[in-house]
Amino acid sequence: MIVDFDLRSDYVQIINGKSSPTSATRHGLNPATLEELPEVPVATPEDLDRATDAAKAAFKIWSTTPYEDRKKAVLAYADAIEQYSDQFRDLLITEQGKPIFQATIETESAINWIRGMASLPLLEDVIEDDESKTVITRYVPIGVVGAIVPWNFPLLLATGKIAPALLTGNVIIVKPSPFTPYGGLKLVELAQKFFPPGVVQSLSGDDHLGPWITSHPDIDKISFTGSTATGKKVLQSASRTLKRVTLELGGNDPAIVFPDVDIEKVAEKVAFFAFLNSGQICLNLKRIYVHSSIFEQFKDALVRQVKSYTLGDGSKDGISHGPLQNSMQYARVKTFFDEIEKQAWKVAVGGQIEPSTGYMVTPTIIDRPPDNSSIVVEEPFGPIVPLMSWDDEAEVIERANNSDMGLGASIWTADLDRAARVARQIQAGTVWTNDHFNLSPTIPFGGHKESGVGVEWGLNGLKGFCNVQTLFLKKSV
């Protein structure tokens, strides 16, 4: 099916299947050039009320639509996104700053996540079945979902919320980040060709819109991806009406490198996962622990990798790393660079923020800062990473776990038994061995400690969009 759609037209919010203009507007910036991007709406509380009213009405229809029909519509939606994947990719480069190859991967992943979650069967569970009764556990939709999407992966994390919400019979109101509103608004506009009015809606706004959504009495679940600090505010706000919540929050992921690794190969991968998306991923490697017997060799290999990177405008060929996405994040990351001189940190590579047109930050490695320093304890969410040495296995596990965060971690060693043994001692939602940031729409993803509440994706993620209902079916009176 060929869908006629224009990604270059006005960027609108959708309420009850139709464009809903606002009197106030705002615009984003291209973070590589600081060029002003097109105007987008700024929603009002009245817009939110109209969207929730439409969502409640649509829920009565969509929640009773057979699962196979919902799945068919969701998959047709994925096909339409794929039809316009190049345009979505280019939009992502412009508003987020990703280099071409990273934007291509995100766009493809946004499509694959829809299809992957549509492949998961959400079946009723027969718990007991004997002569007297049958006991069934089933998963029923919650209602109106508020999806709050961040600016670092605006396409993938939007479809990663839209697909499971719709498959499970919910309706959804998508709030893109005010820093990257364009792709999310176009995803929702395109969705109108496949779903009844009110099933998929969008609201575009400023910093006021998120709190309005999380406190609104007619929104039944919040799916939020963002910082831990904001996640705590979301949880507090949502608690007033006992909304269901899924919070995917910050991380401070450690990598533990053992002395038996192939130094060049592993250094290349560790550097890649530390600086991917210029460090603006919750799952970036943010603390690198290398055994002291190979520390200097490994550091040299990391430095060679980082020096091979090309920083610049992601729309240009040959660029490996783009800018930070916005001025707020740029200012935060600069505070860590200010600490280099104040704390007398030793710099292995980088260390300077060169003057540039956009929010460019040179990838930087700090050589063995104290474990209690801000660069180790906090999450910069930018391209600056501490590199530390270790000698004792039990000690490095303790250091890796010494964090309020617990999102991901990775163990790097040729000894697979040791890798599995150490992995089981790490306090994190996902632990990889000899890899990192390897995700799938069919595998649950979530954090421990202050890295989140609940999980997204996989069968567990689908169930997170449901209430559990148990049926006791007695066979005689």
Side-chain angles (χ1 to χ4, degrees), residues 297-450:
Q297 293 171 276
F298 197 89
K299 179 179 71 174
D300 291 345
L302 279 178
V303 168
R304 284 193 295 274
Q305 287 298 320
V306 171
K307 286 183 174 180
S308 73
Y309 296 158
T310 305
L311 181 66
D313 183 344
S315 66
K316 309 299 183 184
D317 290 334
I319 298 299
S320 63
H321 291 72
L324 298 188
Q325 200 287 317
N326 57 76
S327 60
M328 177 186 68
Q329 192 57 32
Y330 183 68
R332 170 170 169 73
V333 172
K334 284 177 69 175
T335 65
F336 290 90
F337 280 79
D338 293 341
E339 290 296 305
I340 292 174
E341 185 174 349
K342 293 178 184 177
Q343 302 297 328
W345 291 342
K346 183 179 177 182
V347 176
V349 65
Q352 301 284 337
I353 297 182
E354 303 295 339
S356 62
T357 301
Y359 303 128
M360 305 293 176
V361 176
T362 304
T364 294
I365 296 175
I366 304 300
D367 185 350
R368 284 168 286 195
D371 275 16
N372 63 354
S373 60
S374 61
I375 190 62
V376 179
V377 175
E378 300 177 28
E379 179 188 27
F381 218 65
I384 179 169
V385 180
L387 176 67
M388 280 98 47
S389 60
W390 64 274
D391 290 292
D392 178 75
E393 180 180 303
E395 175 212 15
V396 75
I397 293 171
E398 183 176 356
R399 290 167 69 189
N401 287 335
N402 185 25
S403 173
D404 292 335
M405 307 292 188
L407 191 58
S410 54
I411 315 300
W412 302 83
T413 176
D415 185 335
L416 301 185
D417 290 336
R418 174 166 58 192
R421 182 184 71 244
V422 173
R424 291 176 183 277
Q425 299 176 69
I426 298 296
Q427 298 166 0
T430 305
V431 184
W432 292 268
T433 63
N434 299 313
D435 201 356
H436 198 82
F437 197 35
N438 186 350
L439 301 173
S440 166
T442 61
I443 296 173
F445 169 65
H448 294 184
K449 297 187 276 190
E450 293 192 4

Side-chain angles (χ1 to χ4, degrees), residues 254-298:
I256 300 175
V257 182
F258 282 83
D260 60 350
V261 299
D262 181 321
I263 290 175
E264 291 294 332
K265 183 183 294 185
V266 172
E268 178 182 4
K269 292 182 177 180
V270 167
F272 177 81
F273 292 122
F275 294 105
L276 183 65
N277 199 30
S278 295
Q280 301 169 109
I281 307 175
C282 54
L283 277 174
N284 277 122
L285 288 175
K286 299 187 177 78
R287 294 175 291 151
I288 305 171
Y289 297 94
V290 179
H291 194 271
S292 59
S293 65
I294 62 166
F295 182 85
E296 293 298 333
Q297 293 171 276
F298 197 89

Side-chain angles (χ1 to χ4, degrees), residues 5 46 75 124 173 181 222 239 241 314 338 341 391:
F5 187 65
E46 292 72 26
L75 289 174
E124 295 183 352
I173 299 171
I222 298 294
S239 70
T241 51
D338 293 341
E341 185 174 349
D391 290 292

